[in-house]
Amino acid sequence: RFTHPPTRASATEAAATGLLNPVDGMGFTTAYLHHPTEVPAEFTEAGLTGVTQYSVEGALWLLTGLDDRLNDPHRRTALLDAIRLGESDPSLLGVSGHLLTAGRRPA
């Protein structure tokens, strides 16, 4: 879809501003896509402590045949061990399709 000029313009705007606007009936939804560095600051501003980000899929979502790999117990263990190594590494967070940010409410 990136070769479609309106879609390219929408993706370029989303990358620059975080504002996602579907075009020509294509796309996910109208949304604001946070930059990963914005979310921990918002959590801290809300009074949460111990704020940590995690990659949900990490790079695993990029692998072809992932279901087959995860169905093999030995491969699944190795893949999950690998993803845990970098799940909170800031330099690797962008590889994941989704991020999870967690924090604690003060007592």
Side-chain angles (χ1 to χ4, degrees):
R1 294 184 183 165
F2 199 70
T3 59
H4 181 65
T7 301
R8 182 180 292 203
S10 177
T12 301
E13 178 185 356
T17 67
L19 299 174
L20 178 65
N21 294 301
V23 293
D24 297 339
M26 297 185 336
F28 172 59
T29 187
T30 300
Y32 177 75
L33 306 173
H34 285 79
H35 187 276
T37 59
E38 293 174 324
V39 180
E42 289 184 13
F43 274 49
T44 301
E45 287 174 25
L48 300 174
T49 61
V51 177
T52 306
Q53 284 187 301
Y54 302 93
S55 63
V56 176
E57 300 91 352
L60 289 185
W61 74 282
L62 298 170
L63 293 174
T64 59
L66 182 58
D67 287 345
D68 290 337
R69 296 169 195 246
L70 291 174
N71 285 332
D72 177 318
H74 298 293
R75 293 175 91 183
R76 178 178 52 245
T77 298
L79 287 170
L80 294 176
D81 287 346
I83 198 171
R84 285 183 190 107
L85 287 173
E87 71 182 358
S88 291
D89 183 330
S91 68
L92 298 175
L93 290 174
V95 175
S96 187
H98 298 91
L99 298 179
L100 171 72
T101 305
R104 290 192 175 91
R105 184 174 47 173

